[in-house]
Amino acid sequence: MQQVDVIVLGAGIIGVATAVHLRLRGLEVALIDRRQPGEETSMGPAGIIARNGFCPEPVPTDPAILLDIALKQSTALTYDLGTLIKLLPWLRSYVRHSGPQGALAYARAMSPLRAAAIAEHHALAPKANADRFYRKNGWLQIYRSKQSFMTGERERHFARIYGIDYRECEASDLASIEPGLRSEGLSGVYWPESESVSNPAAVTDALWRYFIQQGGIFLNGDAMRLTRRRNAWWMPAMRKDVSAPAVVVALGPWSADLSARLGESFPLAVSRGYHLQFRPSSGASLSRPVMDMDHGYVLSPVERGIRLTTGTEIAWRDSPPNPVQLASASRRASDIFALGQPVPAEPWMGSRPYLPDSLPVLGASAKFPGLWYNFGHGNSGFTFGPVCGRMIADLITTGQTFADTLPFSPLRFVSWK
């Protein structure tokens, strides 16, 4: 048995960044995961560190879009009917919290985190020798119709309120920013203050290696075996058991499994997504991530070519992969970019954890002393890994942090409706 100050469960970008920040504050930290760091959800994102993102993901209301979804013709959103039926109460709550008042509450809560996210990445990247992966050239949202462009106005409204720079683009502007796009008939929004990385998994791996260099401990183990004994948390791992007065649950889409086993319930839902990488056709290239707002996929330049990440699949987290959405997204993407041939590799599938109010769970357990949560970041886990890791480390060590954490408190679910 080895005693440490804090056990961090989950070695994705959220857990690794949390462990790094705790170690930098002089605490003995054991990071535990059933797999190697960054091999689950953190392996799959487009790698965008978005300066925008002030609204919950919009709920479709257009009858034509809803019909496409119902008939499973939509690339942005597909579903398994059984899972969808089980999630109906959750979805009703999500819709209720995504209206004007919910969007305003979300924007107010998340704006300090958005403002700090890029700086927190760059506070850790040089220490971990990860600077080489970062690009400071923004990202693009593209729209295929005037109607879809107008659906993004609420996001741009909050960007104006919070002073975030953006540029509305016609087809000629898109052709200038990204000559590799077939931009005829398209419009878009360019967000120059955002950044991206060429290899999200490598960033997580670099942070983990830095954590080890600083004296951190990494062990393989099953987080579901966590127990509380004699006022401490005990965790059996493969090489040794560890105990600590504090534990941070940063298990992403598996976080609610552990909290439920401990007797603390959270309304966590999971959406699935896929990615496949392509070697672009000769002469075709992208300099930054590009998201097709009508069809939900992102094209992002990475070290091995172009990564295509899909929109949302509502399905049971652990059910077998469904290739339909990825195939459909590939066809749609080929309309605007010469994708070329897929890189020989299995398509990746991962899960994204969401709460009905779209806010993460960040703070101390309402039930157990020494139990902390850092999960539920939706599709923005890569963006918020370093900043939310810092916030949890601040709370554990000093009880205070730079932003108001009340909107993220686990206590909000004690009487959740």
Side-chain angles (χ1 to χ4, degrees):
M1 173 66 66
Q2 180 167 353
Q3 293 186 339
V4 297
D5 296 311
V6 186
I7 297 168
V8 178
L9 298 177
I13 183 69
I14 301 290
V16 170
T18 299
V20 168
H21 273 291
L22 288 165
R23 186 72 195 117
L24 288 174
R25 286 154 176 76
L27 300 184
E28 295 294 328
V29 183
L31 176 66
I32 299 177
D33 199 299
R34 63 184 178 179
R35 301 181 66 177
Q36 287 298 108
E39 288 192 354
E40 295 281 7
T41 305
S42 293
M43 182 172 285
I48 302 168
I49 311 167
R51 185 64 184 89
N52 60 305
F54 294 101
C55 297
E57 293 186 37
V59 177
T61 57
D62 182 84
I65 295 175
L66 292 172
L67 181 61
D68 275 352
I69 293 171
L71 297 176
K72 297 193 175 182
Q73 301 299 310
S74 170
T75 301
L77 175 63
T78 188
Y79 63 92
D80 167 72
L81 182 59
T83 305
L84 183 66
I85 291 171
K86 290 179 182 177
L87 281 177
L88 282 176
W90 188 96
L91 290 167
R92 283 194 292 269
S93 183
Y94 181 87
V95 170
R96 188 166 67 250
H97 288 88
S98 299
Q101 291 302 313
L104 180 59
Y106 179 88
R108 286 173 173 168
M110 297 304 292
S111 61
L113 277 63
R114 289 282 180 195
I118 292 174
E120 291 300 325
H121 268 271
H122 287 295
L124 295 184
K127 300 181 192 326
N129 193 29
D131 273 340
R132 65 189 185 278
F133 301 115
Y134 285 78
R135 295 181 295 242
K136 302 180 180 181
N137 61 351
W139 75 299
L140 271 175
Q141 296 172 326
I142 63 165
Y143 299 88
R144 297 185 183 231
S145 70
K146 187 173 293 185
Q147 182 179 359
S148 66
F149 180 82
M150 291 309 300
T151 63
E153 173 54 28
R154 185 163 70 169
E155 173 72 15
R156 298 189 290 274
H157 166 75
F158 283 111
R160 292 191 292 272
I161 289 174
Y162 290 105
I164 309 307
D165 187 24
Y166 69 88
R167 187 195 314 169
E168 296 181 3
C169 302
E170 300 297 330
S172 58
D173 302 313
L174 296 176
S176 175
I177 296 169
E178 286 292 350
L181 287 178
R182 302 182 185 118
S183 57
E184 296 83 3
L186 302 178
S187 61
V189 177
Y190 173 49
W191 300 91
E193 296 179 32
S194 297
E195 297 188 10
S196 61
V197 299
S198 61
N199 191 331
V203 171
T204 302
D205 183 70
L207 291 175
W208 167 67
R209 293 180 184 279
Y210 174 68
F211 168 71
I212 297 299
Q213 291 168 4
Q214 296 303 305
I217 301 165
F218 175 75
L219 298 168
N220 288 120
D222 181 359
M224 301 304 153
R225 299 181 66 188
L226 177 74
T227 59
R228 184 162 177 80
R229 306 178 192 171
R230 303 191 208 113
N231 298 319
W233 295 98
W234 293 53
M235 180 65 214
M238 289 185 64
R239 297 200 309 270
K240 66 178 74 173
D241 296 349
V242 291
S243 69
V247 61
V248 180
V249 177
L251 294 167
W254 294 272
S255 298
D257 294 8
L258 177 57
S259 69
R261 194 181 68 76
L262 296 173
E264 196 164 21
S265 179
F266 294 99
L268 186 73
V270 169
S271 77
R272 305 201 309 179
Y274 300 82
H275 85 225
L276 187 61
Q277 294 184 186
F278 293 83
R279 294 192 181 100
S281 299
S282 178
S285 65
L286 292 175
S287 301
R288 56 185 58 78
V290 176
M291 182 172 185
D292 185 334
M293 301 299 287
D294 293 71
H295 299 297
Y297 66 82
V298 178
L299 295 173
S300 187
V302 293
E303 289 182 345
R304 297 180 64 196
I306 299 294
R307 174 174 291 182
L308 168 69
T309 61
T310 68
T312 297
E313 180 191 31
I314 299 174
W316 182 49
R317 182 192 62 202
D318 300 326
S319 61
N322 180 354
V324 173
Q325 189 182 39
L326 189 54
S328 177
S330 300
R331 290 193 297 271
R332 296 288 190 181
S334 295
D335 295 341
I336 63 168
F337 183 77
L339 278 178
Q341 295 299 312
V343 173
E346 284 294 317
W348 175 90
M349 182 190 77
S351 301
R352 306 153 180 158
Y354 289 86
L355 282 304
D357 58 5
S358 299
L359 299 172
V361 178
L362 185 71
S365 163
K367 188 171 183 179
F368 297 104
L371 177 60
W372 299 81
Y373 291 114
N374 190 1
F375 70 88
H377 302 80
N379 64 357
S380 298
F382 187 80
T383 292
F384 291 126
V387 66
C388 289
R390 172 192 165 183
M391 291 172 73
I392 282 289
D394 287 344
L395 291 172
I396 290 174
T397 55
T398 70
Q400 296 180 331
T401 190
F402 72 93
D404 181 13
T405 59
L406 183 61
F408 316 121
S409 172
L411 293 169
R412 74 188 194 268
F413 295 109
V414 171
S415 57
W416 178 257
K417 294 181 180 180

